[in-house]
Amino acid sequence: MRSWVVAFAIVFLASGAFAGASETELETARRLFDEGLALEDAHDFAHALDKFQRVAAIKATPQVRYNLGVCFASTGKLVEASNEWGRVVAEARDSNDPELRKLASLAETRRAEIDPRIPRIIVRVPEGATITLDGAPVDAALAGSPLLVNPGPHDLIAKSPTGETKARHIDATPANPPPEIELTPEAHAPDMASITTRPVRWYAFTSGGATLAAFGVALGMFAWRADGISHLDSICGADRQSCPQSARSDVDRVSTQTTVANVMLAAGIVGVVVTVVLFVVRPRKTTFLLTSGLDATLRTSF
């Protein structure tokens, strides 16, 4: 079978299949095609694919497409392989060339062999949303219908008309029925945003102001207390127990002033520590990383 395919390729390349190509391009295509066949025989399908793609850039003949399909299938790109073989079948449909029809039959057989290995997924999105698969746009008309994807990991993103997005990372495997993936963009939820606050020094200014007020009250109370003590000394002397009953209210007031002054003095000392921490130790800028929860519901029907 392989010898027949190669023989057909040689005949096809020597025919008018490359009409419109210059002699230099034709010679280059033949050389690249031969190199691709050699690499394919050596099972170096990745490099063979590169050769055949360069030939296809000059002229994508059915034989070139057939070998592209072989290399795509051998490198895990089953969807691309199926598409190339499907084009071979389509091009031979109206052809009277028996060799081309034979090639198309072979392509159709190989396409049928890989079809069960191609995963399908169903993506459901709200009306008006756009879909991208691995960064490539997907026609919105295909939403809700089985999409053919290569086996392995894929990234699906749906975007609403107002720019909100929803994403899903999937690992595609063949399944029957195909899994359904719902992607509903959430309003006002960015994919990812980095938000940096303004400096937080205003906390320190507030603390500093409260600290100054505490010291001011403490000083005022101590001054008022000093006047009260001077007054009591003139009435009672050093022994407060000998104060007359009429001076008891003055004694209580001085005691209260002492308590308040000490409390405010302690509050001022605490305020100094807090203010220093806010000015020096606390970071001046805080960065938040927000993620919008780009997960979606993967629902499989059984």
Side-chain angles (χ1 to χ4, degrees), residues 11-253:
V11 173
F12 207 81
L13 286 169
S15 67
F18 285 88
S22 68
E23 285 298 325
T24 299
E25 290 175 326
L26 179 58
E27 183 57 35
T28 300
R30 288 171 178 164
R31 178 178 54 80
L32 290 172
F33 190 86
D34 289 341
E35 291 174 358
L37 289 177
L39 290 167
E40 190 178 299
D41 286 338
H43 291 182
D44 187 354
F45 296 105
H47 288 97
L49 177 61
D50 175 68
K51 300 293 184 181
F52 292 130
Q53 286 177 322
R54 291 164 66 183
V55 175
I58 300 173
K59 181 67 175 183
T61 67
Q63 180 59 26
V64 174
R65 291 194 183 281
Y66 176 85
N67 284 278
L68 280 171
V70 172
C71 294
F72 276 131
S74 300
T75 53
K77 299 178 180 179
L78 304 185
V79 175
E80 290 84 347
S82 180
N83 289 339
E84 293 298 341
W85 287 333
R87 292 187 181 102
V88 174
V89 174
E91 290 180 21
R93 186 171 295 126
D94 299 325
S95 175
N96 295 321
D97 187 334
E99 298 299 329
L100 179 56
R101 295 182 68 87
K102 188 176 180 180
L103 180 68
S105 176
L106 183 59
E108 193 166 23
T109 299
R110 301 198 70 161
R111 191 183 189 197
E113 289 174 352
I114 67 167
D115 185 76
R117 296 163 47 200
I118 300 178
R120 273 83 167 166
I121 58 173
I122 296 175
V123 182
R124 301 193 184 279
V125 296
E127 185 176 356
T130 59
I131 311 168
T132 59
L133 174 64
D134 298 329
V138 177
D139 194 322
L142 298 177
S145 302
L147 297 176
L148 276 65
V149 296
N150 289 317
H154 297 280
D155 290 311
L156 276 164
I157 297 178
K159 181 177 290 187
S160 72
T162 55
E164 292 80 23
T165 62
K166 193 80 169 185
R168 175 73 182 185
H169 181 78
I170 64 169
D171 191 7
T173 57
N176 189 20
E180 297 183 14
I181 302 171
E182 288 189 5
L183 290 170
T184 304
E186 295 178 353
H188 311 299
D191 292 337
M192 183 171 290
S194 180
I195 301 177
T196 304
T197 65
R198 289 182 176 275
V200 294
R201 286 291 181 87
W202 67 272
Y203 287 115
F205 290 131
T206 301
S207 175
T211 299
L212 291 176
F215 279 129
V217 172
L219 290 174
M221 283 296 175
F222 278 124
W224 195 8
R225 172 180 175 275
D227 290 341
I229 289 175
S230 297
H231 176 67
L232 288 175
D233 286 344
S234 65
I235 298 175
C236 308
D239 185 8
R240 295 289 185 266
Q241 299 298 324
S242 61
C243 287
Q245 189 66 33
S246 61
R248 283 296 169 188
S249 60
D250 292 329
V251 173
D252 292 340
R253 183 173 63 254

